[in-house]
């Protein structure tokens, strides 16, 4: 679902409510980097879109929101009409000048995400110029099944994957059928080696530590001739990475970072060390000494259904925004 006002504007509203002038300054800086355009109610098209941009089509962890079998207050809020459905984390990179687009992740919500994406494109096109996968957890690749013979019957959609994931897809059904029937055209990635999409766009996979049962895990650097975007939806802990995350943030314009869980203990009765992620509280502490301009680059994404940052309004969301960071919203546009 597209926002009726920008994510940045929403953050500014929260800042005004709290009467924190420092936050207003931070989000003035952020507004120079992020924008989101409203839907034209008469035509369904987006107005004043940049020539090249990223649109966020989903913000949730692999199981979506509401999550299957959840009877907790977090998901009851949806069934009671207090919260809207949220889609699984997915980005689309759009170049309106060349009539091309690429998706980052093939989620279980790919049907609605591809439909929503049409209103951002110069013309209707359900066949991506490529799909870049991060790893083999269900929310990140299982949407590929919708490209198969039983569904869309796609024709050779390029799917970029790291070597272990490439092998997993080729040698395990039902994914292997997508390959044999040429619904997808697998293309092997190499860590830290760039893929040139066209004259102005480059994609570079970067290995990150994660639970790699079936494949390695990567984040992506998405670069235009003007901007650099860092996308890391899944990582164990920043300290486990052989890169310095603060240095990586300094090299980019926007950093979409793993915000799966807000804090430790969010899943009562479960050992959260079995599902390691950098808690948002940990990340905010780690980044607390950064100048306002650097904090404004950081946008948290990939929220578990228990994460209060998913809510329309929450004290935790206000806290993140007041600290100078961003919270991803569906429909957010990143101008490249």
């Amino acid at each position: 679902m597209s926002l009726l006002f920008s994510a940045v504007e929403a953050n500014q509203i929260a800042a005004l409510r709290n009467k924190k002038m420092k936050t207003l300054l931070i989000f003035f800086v952020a507004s120079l980097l992020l924008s989101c355009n409203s839907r034209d109610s008469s035509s369904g098209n987006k107005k004043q879109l940049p020539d090249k941009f990223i649109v966020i089509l989903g913000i949730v962890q692999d199981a979506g929101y509401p999550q299957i079998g959840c009877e907790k207050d977090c998901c009851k809020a949806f069934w009671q009409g207090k919260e809207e459905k949220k889609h699984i984390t997915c980005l689309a990179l759009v170049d309106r000048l060349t009539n091309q687009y690429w998706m980052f992740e093939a989620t279980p919500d790919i049907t609605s995400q591809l439909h929503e994406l049409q209103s951002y494109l110069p013309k209707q096109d359900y066949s991506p110029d490529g799909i870049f996968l991060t790893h083999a957890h269900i929310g990140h690749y299982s949407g590929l099944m919708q490209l198969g013979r039983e569904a869309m019957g796609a024709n050779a959609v390029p799917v970029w994957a790291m070597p272990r994931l490439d092998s997993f897809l080729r040698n395990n059904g039902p994914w292997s059928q997508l390959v044999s029937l040429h619904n997808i055209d697998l293309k092997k990635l190499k860590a830290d080696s760039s893929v040139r999409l066209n004259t102005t766009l480059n994609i570079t996979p970067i290995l990150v530590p994660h639970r790699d049962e079936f494949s390695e895990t990567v984040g992506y650097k998405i670069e235009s001739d003007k901007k650099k975007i860092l996308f890391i939806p899944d990582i164990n802990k920043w300290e486990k990475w052989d890169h310095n995350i603060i240095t990586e943030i300094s090299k980019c314009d926007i950093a979409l970072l793993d915000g799966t869980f807000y804090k430790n203990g969010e899943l009562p009765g479960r050992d959260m060390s079995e599902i390691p992620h950098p808690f948002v509280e940990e990340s905010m502490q780690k980044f607390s000494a950064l100048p306002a301009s650097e904090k404004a680059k950081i946008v948290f994404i990939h929220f578990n259904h228990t994460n209060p940052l998913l809510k329309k309004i929450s004290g935790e969301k206000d806290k993140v925004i007041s600290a100078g960071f961003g919270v991803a919203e569906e429909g957010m546009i990143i101008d490249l």
Side-chain angles (χ1 to χ4, degrees):
M1 178 179 295
S2 180
L3 299 181
L4 296 179
F5 50 87
S6 75
V8 172
E9 288 169 343
N11 290 345
Q12 289 175 328
I13 291 169
L16 283 168
R17 185 174 65 241
N18 292 332
K19 296 183 179 180
K20 295 188 176 182
M21 299 307 296
K22 179 181 177 181
T23 304
L24 281 174
L25 175 61
I26 289 168
F27 280 90
F28 173 75
V29 174
S31 69
L32 299 178
L33 301 173
L34 291 173
S35 64
C36 182
N37 296 279
S38 63
R39 181 185 297 273
D40 180 341
S41 60
S42 62
S43 66
N45 294 322
K46 300 294 186 294
K47 289 183 175 180
Q48 300 177 340
L49 287 170
D51 292 333
K52 293 184 287 288
F53 61 92
I54 289 169
V55 56
I56 297 179
L57 298 175
I59 60 172
V60 191
Q61 175 265 357
D62 302 44
Y65 177 83
Q67 183 163 307
I68 185 171
C70 178
E71 293 294 337
K72 299 176 184 176
D73 289 344
C74 55
C75 290
K76 277 185 180 178
F78 167 79
W79 301 115
Q80 294 171 349
K82 299 176 183 177
E83 296 287 341
E84 296 179 346
K85 175 179 172 60
K86 310 294 194 308
H87 297 92
I88 298 168
T89 296
C90 176
L91 311 180
L93 170 61
V94 179
D95 188 334
R96 292 174 62 88
L97 296 178
T98 61
N99 289 326
Q100 293 175 291
Y101 75 92
W102 300 264
M103 299 182 75
F104 289 78
E105 313 292 32
T107 83
D109 290 325
I110 192 171
T111 300
S112 54
Q113 287 170 331
L114 263 177
H115 174 75
E116 173 65 14
L117 181 57
Q118 299 310 301
S119 60
Y120 293 88
L121 304 177
K123 62 180 181 179
Q124 188 177 84
D125 181 3
Y126 278 88
S127 184
D129 291 278
I131 298 174
F132 287 84
L133 305 177
T134 58
H135 64 299
H137 283 160
I138 63 169
H140 301 264
Y141 79 101
S142 62
L144 291 176
M145 70 178 69
Q146 298 296 336
L147 303 180
R149 178 168 58 185
E150 302 90 341
M152 196 167 92
N155 180 31
V157 172
V159 174
W160 297 90
M162 292 292 288
R164 281 187 63 203
L165 181 50
D166 179 281
S167 178
F168 176 79
L169 295 171
R170 291 182 190 277
N171 295 298
N172 293 277
W175 323 111
S176 56
Q177 180 172 284
L178 296 173
V179 178
S180 63
L181 295 181
H182 305 291
N183 300 124
I184 64 174
D185 178 16
L186 283 176
K187 297 182 178 295
K188 199 174 293 185
L189 291 168
K190 181 180 179 181
D192 302 314
S193 182
S194 295
V195 175
R196 192 162 185 80
L197 300 180
N198 60 32
T199 57
T200 63
L201 296 172
N202 288 283
I203 309 298
T204 306
I206 44 174
L207 284 168
V208 297
H210 194 45
R211 302 183 317 279
D212 295 336
E213 301 94 337
F214 302 115
S215 77
E216 60 277 272
T217 303
V218 295
Y220 286 102
K221 295 178 182 178
I222 304 168
E223 299 180 60
S224 72
D225 51 346
K226 297 179 181 178
K227 299 282 184 66
K228 296 181 180 180
I229 310 302
L230 180 65
F231 176 50
I232 303 178
D234 274 290
I235 193 170
N236 284 354
K237 294 288 183 181
W238 299 122
E239 293 72 24
K240 299 290 185 181
W241 197 20
D242 59 4
H243 290 57
N244 184 315
I245 182 57
I246 292 176
T247 300
E248 296 301 324
I249 291 168
S250 72
K251 296 176 182 177
C252 71
D253 296 282
I254 295 291
L256 296 164
L257 302 183
D258 185 343
T260 304
F261 299 110
Y262 185 77
K263 64 181 180 180
N264 196 11
E266 195 169 304
L267 301 178
R270 187 168 180 182
D271 182 0
M272 294 187 70
S273 67
E274 296 176 352
I275 42 175
H277 290 272
F279 305 126
V280 171
E281 283 189 338
E282 290 178 335
S283 294
M284 289 198 297
Q285 178 60 37
K286 187 174 186 68
F287 305 141
S288 61
L290 292 177
S293 58
E294 291 295 286
K295 288 181 180 179
K297 295 178 179 180
I298 299 166
V299 180
F300 294 108
I301 197 170
H302 193 266
F303 307 122
N304 196 56
H305 68 291
T306 56
N307 192 325
L309 298 186
L310 273 179
K311 295 181 178 179
K312 295 175 184 175
I313 299 172
S314 70
E316 292 84 355
K317 181 179 280 189
D318 285 348
K319 185 176 181 180
V320 171
I321 292 167
S322 296
F325 306 104
V327 177
E329 303 281 357
E330 293 180 16
M332 180 184 287
I333 296 287
I334 301 174
D335 186 349
L336 296 177

